[in-house]
């Protein structure tokens, strides 16, 4: 652990004064989010670092203990596996030193994300309809249909309103040159937004002095943004469509988030037994009888949603739900089959998707990536395993990630064998030296730890992106695995409000989207051909 002190000639340094953190060692090739290499604060972090210095390690440590007690009492927890394999709840690991982004940085991020989401949404529509990107020779059809997330039961079905990626959480990293890069896309059932909201509430209560002198953009309007987006894609035009949040149940690791969002939106939290389909219409069981459901925000994977169309052994699904979805009587967010767009092999092609569908150059770059099904790329990767990161295409949450520089000779040999056995299961990426941020290491003293960023966007009538997002932090010294399930933590992410801009990304409506009219529903077999013509 690095021991950090602030060295200054006065007890309380003035804002902008000459003070720096002694012993703070930013890893080679990395950039820090708050500090220069000499330990002095970056311009946007001067006031924050001065406040932390005044607070001192003892007060920071005491606030951390109060945080853990409050989180456990309120059920703000995350399920992790213990050394004995048992699943246990632990207090959500919030680091009390925030990450700070300038307004200019955020403008670049939100425009880049909106651009990427528009392209991914267009790709999903194309995959299940016209196949134009395949006919253009950009993405191989053999790759698309070989993805486990390709949903054959909905081929030819257009999502309500032409929106597939209703909720997106793309993972971003800042490299050693200070450039933002997209590490991966999450457009199936991205999680973490509830912790963004709870982190902000906790910080304002536990560390209110840190906010002094800052104008930090608000995040608490996310539930209303999400509810508006879910209502906007409701396939029936009733004035008050019924929206539900569908959870697998209390045993799910993200159940806290499911219950939190349902409560914040004021909608019903339903489990599989609460939904039923009659005559291709979805209903919710209530004490007053069956009630029509118009939009389902589902938090379970495609494989489990309907045993008649996907896994027949699923006990979580609703028989006939896909039939109702095909008929256009219910909207499902995110749309069935959306996962084909966030497969790690498909990620390789996203920059070309942006050029193909939008006729624009990508604002946010991919991490340099190699597809191992290509023989030349595979041999190049195998010759450089000690320098690269290998990821299984079908896993999430950091599972199965191989980091070459940290691997032993035997681990590299085993990874090479796995690649040779089934190269389609893996991609390789250049190692990105993730930026670091000052992080409390348990005793109130700070050390640099690697971070990434997951901003959250909702797509309804337009794309809205919550300022900041979930900063995940690797709590172990030297680790680059930030996933909470793998021992990572989180930070409150501040976007400084110094330009007065809104967070609406312009030009986000799908080109083929018809206008909303009273008593007219989107989708349905009867007008699929007409909608496909409108899309061309």
């Amino acid at each position: 652990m690095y021991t950090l002190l602030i060295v200054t000639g006065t007890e309380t340094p003035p804002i902008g004064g000459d003070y720096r953190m002694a012993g703070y060692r930013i890893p080679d090739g990395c950039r820090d989010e708050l500090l220069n290499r000499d330990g002095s604060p970056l311009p946007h972090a001067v006031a924050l670092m001065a406040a932390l210095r005044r607070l001192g390690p003892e007060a920071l440590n005491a606030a951390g203990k109060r945080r853990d007690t409050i989180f456990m009492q309120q059920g703000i927890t995350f399920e992790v596996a213990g050394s004995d394999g048992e699943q246990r709840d632990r207090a959500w690991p919030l680091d009390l030193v925030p990450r700070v982004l300038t307004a200019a940085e955020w403008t670049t991020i939100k425009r880049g994300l909106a651009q990427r989401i528009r392209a991914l949404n267009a790709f999903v529509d194309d995959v299940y309809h016209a196949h134009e990107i395949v006919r253009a020779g950009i993405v191989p059809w053999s790759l698309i249909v070989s993805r486990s997330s390709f949903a054959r039961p909905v081929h030819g079905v257009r999502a309500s309103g032409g929106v597939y990626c209703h909720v997106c959480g793309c993972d971003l990293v800042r490299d050693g040159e200070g450039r933002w890069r997209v590490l991966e896309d999450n457009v199936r059932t991205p999680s973490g937004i509830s912790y963004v909201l709870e982190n902000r509430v906790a910080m304002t209560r536990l560390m209110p002095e840190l906010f002094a002198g800052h104008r930090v953009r608000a995040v608490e309007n996310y539930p209303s943004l999400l509810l508006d987006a879910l209502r906007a894609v409701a396939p029936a035009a009733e004035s008050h469509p019924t929206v539900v949040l569908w959870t697998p149940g209390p045993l799910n690791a993200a159940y806290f988030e499911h219950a939190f969002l349902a409560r914040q939106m004021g909608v019903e939290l339903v489990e599989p037994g609460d939904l039923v389909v009659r005559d291709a219409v979805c209903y919710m069981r209530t004490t007053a009888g069956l009630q029509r459901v118009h939009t389902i925000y589902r938090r379970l994977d495609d494989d489990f949603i309907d045993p008649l169309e996907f896994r027949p052994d699923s006990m979580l699904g609703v028989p006939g739900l896909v039939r109702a979805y095909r008929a256009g009587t219910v909207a499902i967010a995110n749309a069935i089959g959306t996962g084909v767009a966030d497969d790690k092999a498909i990620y390789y092609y996203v920059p070309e998707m942006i050029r193909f569908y939008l006729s624009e150059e990508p604002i946010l770059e991919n991490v340099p990536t190699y597809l191992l099904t290509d023989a030349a790329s595979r041999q190049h990767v195998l010759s450089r395993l000690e320098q690269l990161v290998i990821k299984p295409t079908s896993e999430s949450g950091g599972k199965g990630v191989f980091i070459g520089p940290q691997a032993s000779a035997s681990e590299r040999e085993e990874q090479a064998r796995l690649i040779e056995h089934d190269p389609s299961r893996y991609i390789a990426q250049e190692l990105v030296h993730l930026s670091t941020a000052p992080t409390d290491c348990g005793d109130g003293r700070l050390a640099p730890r690697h971070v990434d960023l997951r901003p959250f966007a909702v797509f309804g009538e337009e794309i809205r992106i919550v300022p900041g997002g979930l900063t995940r932090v690797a709590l172990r010294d030297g680790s680059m695995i930030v996933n909470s399930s793998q021992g990572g933590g989180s930070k409150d992410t501040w976007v400084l409000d110094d330009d007065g801009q809104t967070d609406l990304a312009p030009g986000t409506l799908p080109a083929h989207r018809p206008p909303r009219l009273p008593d007219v529903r989107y989708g349905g077999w009867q007008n699929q051909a007409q909608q496909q013509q409108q899309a061309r």
Side-chain angles (χ1 to χ4, degrees), residues 191-205:
S191 63
I193 185 62
S194 63
Y195 300 112
V196 174
L197 306 181
E198 290 289 7
N199 284 354
R200 179 61 55 82
V201 172
M203 288 294 294
T204 57
R205 293 177 179 175

Side-chain angles (χ1 to χ4, degrees), residues 16-200:
D18 182 17
Y19 63 96
R20 48 182 52 91
M21 301 188 77
Y24 194 87
R25 301 287 182 263
I26 301 171
D28 291 341
C30 297
R31 170 177 169 165
D32 197 83
E33 296 292 327
L34 300 181
L35 300 175
N36 291 304
R37 286 210 162 268
D38 63 359
S40 61
L42 294 168
H44 64 276
V46 170
L48 173 62
M49 298 309 297
L52 286 168
R53 194 260 181 226
R54 290 191 293 269
L55 191 67
E58 292 79 12
L60 186 62
N61 188 41
K65 293 178 180 178
R66 293 197 304 273
R67 168 204 61 203
D68 292 345
T69 300
I70 293 170
F71 279 10
M72 289 301 294
Q73 289 175 345
Q74 295 184 351
I76 306 173
T77 60
F78 194 86
E79 193 175 76
V80 294
S83 57
D84 57 0
E86 290 292 324
Q87 297 290 326
R88 295 183 176 87
D89 281 345
R90 67 166 179 171
W92 175 247
L94 166 64
D95 182 70
L96 296 179
V97 181
R99 185 216 199 124
V100 183
L101 300 174
T102 66
E105 286 180 306
W106 180 244
T107 296
T108 299
I109 290 171
K110 73 178 183 181
R111 292 187 177 277
L113 287 174
Q115 179 193 60
R116 195 172 182 96
I117 292 165
R118 289 161 56 206
L120 289 170
N121 196 79
F123 174 72
V124 178
D125 184 83
D126 194 19
V127 160
Y128 294 109
H129 295 90
H131 306 167
E132 291 178 354
I133 201 167
V134 174
R135 295 204 302 266
I138 296 173
V139 182
W141 182 244
S142 59
L143 174 66
I144 294 172
V145 296
S146 67
R147 301 300 90 193
S148 60
S149 51
F150 177 74
R152 288 174 175 81
V154 295
H155 194 273
V157 181
R158 175 153 286 124
S160 180
V163 178
Y164 298 82
C165 307
H166 307 82
V167 181
C168 306
C170 298
D171 293 341
L172 306 181
V173 295
R174 194 202 299 269
D175 65 18
E177 302 299 321
R179 295 170 300 190
W180 289 98
R181 292 183 179 273
V182 180
L183 192 62
E184 61 183 53
D185 302 295
N186 297 284
V187 295
R188 283 179 245 197
T189 55
S191 63
I193 185 62
S194 63
Y195 300 112
V196 174
L197 306 181
E198 290 289 7
N199 284 354
R200 179 61 55 82

Side-chain angles (χ1 to χ4, degrees), residues 200-246:
R200 179 61 55 82
V201 172
M203 288 294 294
T204 57
R205 293 177 179 175
L206 293 169
M207 310 289 286
E209 54 270 78
L210 297 187
F211 289 85
H214 295 92
R215 294 174 57 196
V216 181
R217 296 193 189 182
V219 298
E220 64 269 12
N221 65 334
Y222 177 85
S224 63
L225 294 180
L226 177 58
L227 183 59
D228 287 346
L230 297 174
R231 286 173 171 166
V233 297
E238 299 174 14
S239 57
H240 297 288
T242 300
V243 176
V244 299
L245 193 154
W246 183 16

